[in-house]
Amino acid sequence: MEYPKRFERVAISSVFGDPMDRRTWSAAPYNVAICLQKLGIAVEGIHSGGTRGERSLLALHYMMTGYGRPHSSEAVLRLAPARRRAAERLAETARRRRIRHILHTGTLDLPPVDSDDGVKHYLYCDHSWALSLPHRTDLSDYSRRAIQNFEDTERAALESVEHVFTFGAYVRDHLIGHYGLPPEKVTAVGSGMGQIEPYDQPKDYGRPHLLFVAKHLFAPKGGNLLVEAFRIARRERPDLLLNIVGDGRSASHVPAQPGIHFHAHLPWRELQRLYRISSLLTQPMLNDPWGQVYLEALLSRTPVIGLRRNGLPEIIEHGRHGFLVDEADPQALAATILAALSDPQRLAEMGWSGQQHVLQSYSWDAVANRIAFG
């Protein structure tokens, strides 16, 4: 049975930048747009975010509201006035371009202000405000009043859309259970990957080479936790080697410690090479909702070690293609690293099964098909 397309023309919106630019939201909007276009759907991008001056005024409003000093742009963008301004900007652009369908990437330019104009709003998201709270490293920076306000605006945003598409099934379950969205209104569509290509050549899992991809978020990605775990594990395995990929902001966090090699601003082909020569991706991310880096490692037949939270259990099928650590504890992480490296044959089997799982389950073409027809 063939289903009709949800739309023949759609705008993709983002408050963080031009959705048609690869640099916006880890290229997810760009990849979805390209694959929707392959299905014959006309796609336009709308940057619904404001200017630096507008953000400064909103930061002042944040403080005057009694929320304290905003410590991030996300905190400012979660304000009800910030959401309303983004929604107004988006609605005005949609009216001018005569757009009738909008796919939001995140809830920060919702709820829509044009609900009476016949425009249908959809959402593609990897998390929610409430889902982020248990593991937020910055939770103490938010007042109780701010936390409740952001919960209320998130709920209003979710209730205002035609349909929600989520990266993970765990997010879908949360939106239904916590926010009370009807199950038929929420679909888990997954995600795809970047430019990393599948690896099918011989691989030596006996070499204890670890990889950590920090980019600019060393601490939130679990870098401090990993460095301490690596120091502990290397007492037992002096041959351990850890490659850390990041930029200048991460470099200052990396200690001059035996066995640790820092790589700054790698082209993707060199990053691909590191994925392929690594026995394990050790990526104990503290609160990443999904983690494209997990998928890219598995595509390279590199099993993953990370924390038992957010999207990782779903991605590695609860331990079939990697290892889960229950707590953000360096001793536990070190023990898991050593146990994993003690069985190269098991790593090889996990690498192969993980690659098959990713190839069969995650692609931007599949995401676009599920959004367009699901």
Side-chain angles (χ1 to χ4, degrees):
M1 179 179 178
E2 293 189 3
Y3 294 93
K5 293 177 186 175
R6 292 183 189 272
F7 34 65
E8 296 293 338
R9 180 185 178 220
V10 66
I12 298 180
S13 74
S14 172
V15 299
F16 297 111
D18 179 3
M20 307 303 283
D21 188 322
R22 286 181 181 271
R23 294 169 295 182
T24 300
W25 204 38
S26 300
Y30 169 85
N31 285 310
V32 171
I34 294 300
C35 293
L36 286 174
Q37 288 171 341
K38 288 194 288 186
L39 297 174
I41 296 172
V43 182
E44 302 178 36
I46 301 177
H47 175 206
S48 55
T51 64
R52 182 176 299 179
E54 181 180 303
R55 289 195 296 273
S56 296
L57 290 173
L58 287 166
L60 180 60
H61 178 84
Y62 190 99
M63 291 186 286
M64 293 178 64
T65 305
Y67 292 170
R69 182 179 295 276
H71 60 284
S72 68
S73 60
E74 179 202 346
V76 172
L77 292 171
R78 285 194 176 278
L79 280 173
R83 289 177 182 258
R84 186 163 54 251
R85 182 69 189 97
E88 289 169 351
R89 188 181 297 110
L90 179 60
E92 195 281 325
T93 303
R95 282 192 292 269
R96 189 173 66 251
R97 297 187 192 176
R98 298 183 180 180
I99 292 168
R100 314 309 296 168
H101 299 271
I102 300 174
L103 176 63
H104 302 251
T105 51
T107 64
L108 296 180
D109 52 10
L110 283 163
V113 297
D114 58 355
S115 55
D116 295 331
D117 294 345
V119 176
K120 291 186 176 181
H121 294 262
Y122 310 87
L123 172 65
Y124 183 42
C125 65
D126 59 358
H127 226 198
S128 76
W129 171 249
L131 200 53
S132 77
L133 292 180
H135 303 297
R136 288 196 77 98
T137 58
D138 62 351
L139 185 59
S140 62
D141 295 322
Y142 291 93
S143 68
R144 289 185 180 180
R145 184 179 177 190
I147 290 171
Q148 185 58 54
N149 177 270
F150 297 162
E151 170 71 359
D152 294 341
T153 52
E154 187 88 338
R155 185 175 297 275
L158 290 166
E159 290 174 351
S160 70
V161 297
E162 185 85 6
H163 202 94
V164 181
F165 307 101
T166 67
F167 278 54
Y170 86 102
V171 182
R172 177 183 186 272
D173 293 344
H174 163 78
L175 296 183
I176 295 168
H178 179 78
Y179 288 103
L181 295 184
E184 64 274 13
K185 190 179 177 178
V186 192
T187 305
V189 298
S191 79
M193 288 156 285
Q195 296 175 296
I196 301 299
E197 298 169 355
Y199 183 59
D200 60 1
Q201 299 302 308
K203 184 162 180 167
D204 182 4
Y205 292 93
R207 295 195 312 170
H209 286 194
L210 311 178
L211 177 64
F212 172 66
V213 183
K215 298 183 179 178
H216 65 286
L217 298 170
F218 188 83
K221 298 288 184 184
N224 296 327
L225 171 62
L226 175 59
V227 166
E228 178 60 19
F230 181 80
R231 184 184 65 79
I232 295 169
R234 208 166 191 268
R235 294 174 189 160
E236 186 171 329
R237 288 288 303 263
D239 57 340
L240 281 184
L241 183 148
L242 171 61
N243 284 304
I244 295 177
V245 178
D247 65 7
R249 287 166 287 184
S250 290
S252 61
H253 296 278
V254 180
Q257 184 173 316
I260 295 180
H261 301 276
F262 180 74
H263 307 263
H265 303 290
L266 286 187
W268 73 268
R269 283 202 173 275
E270 180 58 19
L271 175 60
Q272 180 171 269
R273 185 188 72 83
L274 289 179
Y275 275 126
R276 292 176 174 184
I277 67 171
S278 300
S279 301
L280 281 168
L281 175 73
T282 45
Q283 196 81 16
M285 297 196 285
L286 302 181
N287 203 24
D288 263 43
W290 190 241
Q292 185 169 287
V293 63
Y294 300 138
L295 301 176
E296 292 174 342
L298 294 176
L299 196 65
S300 308
R301 301 215 323 271
T302 300
V304 174
I305 288 180
L307 301 180
R308 191 187 299 275
R309 58 182 62 168
N310 295 333
L312 181 58
E314 181 175 331
I315 289 173
I316 66 170
E317 296 191 299
H318 302 276
R320 287 191 60 196
H321 322 300
F323 304 86
L324 296 166
V325 182
D326 290 329
E327 300 294 336
D329 173 72
Q331 292 282 355
L333 179 57
T336 303
I337 290 171
L338 291 171
L341 292 173
S342 70
D343 192 345
Q345 180 58 38
R346 185 185 184 192
L347 291 179
E349 292 168 357
M350 282 184 163
W352 185 86
S353 68
Q355 185 183 68
Q356 299 309 302
H357 171 58
V358 168
L359 287 171
Q360 293 166 13
S361 306
Y362 300 106
S363 78
W364 290 116
D365 283 318
V367 170
N369 269 282
R370 292 165 187 152
I371 290 174
F373 299 103

